[in-house]
Amino acid sequence: EVSFLASGGGLVQRGGSLRLSCAASGFSFSTHAMSWVRQAPGKGLEWVSSISGSATTSDYADSVMGRFTISRDNAKSILYLQMNSLTAEDTAIYHCAAFYRGSGIDYWGQGTLVTVSS
Amino acid sequence: SYELTQPLSVSVALGQPATITCGGDSVGLQSVHWYQQRPGQAPVLVINRNSNRPSGIPERFSGSKSSDTATLTISSAQIGDEADYYCQVWVNYRAVFGTGTKVTVL
């Protein structure tokens, strides 16, 4: 059974930093690309960042470029998101998600809540 | 930038068909995927690559695509189908999500 254990979310002041982790199990982590997708309260889904299975390719939404860094540890099946210079607009539930390139997102984590206070 | 436009809401009577559209220039160029998100839950993939139904998804869900519009159809809407639905395409490793449609079953 596929499962994700997300951690690292919480309340942080504007300008602060957080590191999200997402520990995956139940599927071949290293062969799946991974993404972070966030959802602000009452809003739609917003893609944040993706990383290839081998970690050789990554990309970021314009809204987080230069502030967020995605990484992964395939030996431990963990996905990370380092978030710096946080603003109120980063307040959201952050979901980790697994997919094969070009295909739909097969697996979604329940998400971890990040709240940035101003 | 890529944009995918969906109707804000769709209302459907119990047992009747519901259709949700997804429009945008990138629709014709890429495979479209559809997700269902119930309140307080993570999204679930209901249609993969335009028209493929993942294992465990009821047959009443189907997808199609024309040149610039993708369509998700629920052939006979059930109470449990009340949810938000999102279309999505990939541009390399960038995911583009539609604006989302709230489906209400009356």
Side-chain angles (χ1 to χ4, degrees):
Chain A
E1 182 183 357
V2 173
S3 67
F4 295 95
L5 182 60
S7 60
L11 178 64
V12 62
Q13 287 191 332
R14 180 169 55 108
S17 298
L18 282 176
R19 188 194 196 200
L20 305 184
S21 299
C22 176
S25 62
F27 68 99
S28 177
F29 183 78
S30 63
T31 63
H32 278 76
M34 298 293 295
S35 285
W36 289 98
V37 177
R38 68 185 181 185
Q39 189 166 31
K43 302 297 184 181
L45 300 174
E46 180 189 13
W47 171 78
V48 174
S49 181
S50 295
I51 187 168
S52 62
S54 61
T56 54
T57 302
S58 61
D59 202 357
Y60 301 89
D62 293 344
S63 58
V64 307
M65 186 84 71
R67 299 188 299 124
F68 290 11
T69 302
I70 192 171
S71 62
R72 63 190 296 161
D73 184 335
N74 284 346
K76 297 181 179 178
S77 297
I78 301 177
L79 177 71
Y80 300 100
L81 186 68
Q82 177 66 44
M83 305 186 296
N84 299 329
S85 303
L86 288 162
T87 72
E89 287 68 41
D90 297 317
T91 293
I93 294 173
Y94 285 72
H95 298 276
C96 56
F99 63 99
Y100 284 117
R101 189 176 182 187
S103 189
I105 297 174
D106 299 295
Y107 309 126
W108 293 79
Q110 282 300 317
T112 184
L113 177 62
V114 171
T115 303
V116 183
S117 65
S118 54
Chain B
S1 64
Y2 294 89
E3 295 183 351
L4 298 175
T5 302
Q6 300 179 233
L8 191 60
S9 63
V10 167
S11 295
V12 57
L14 181 67
Q16 294 301 303
T19 60
I20 305 167
T21 57
C22 173
D25 291 342
S26 56
V27 168
L29 302 173
Q30 311 291 345
S31 290
V32 178
H33 319 291
W34 289 93
Y35 304 90
Q36 175 194 70
Q37 187 180 32
R38 296 189 175 105
Q41 296 188 18
V44 172
L45 180 66
V46 293
I47 293 293
N48 192 26
R49 296 181 185 269
N50 303 321
S51 59
N52 296 286
R53 200 173 46 251
S55 174
I57 301 303
E59 291 184 4
R60 63 180 180 273
F61 288 91
S62 65
S64 62
K65 194 180 81 167
S66 66
S67 59
D68 61 355
T69 301
T71 302
L72 174 68
T73 300
I74 308 173
S75 61
S76 176
Q78 304 300 306
I79 292 296
D81 299 334
E82 281 204 340
D84 294 325
Y85 291 82
Y86 297 89
C87 59
Q88 180 250 322
V89 300
W90 290 104
V91 180
N92 294 317
Y93 279 94
R94 292 191 166 210
V96 179
F97 289 98
T99 50
T101 299
K102 183 177 182 60
V103 170
T104 301
V105 180
L106 305 173

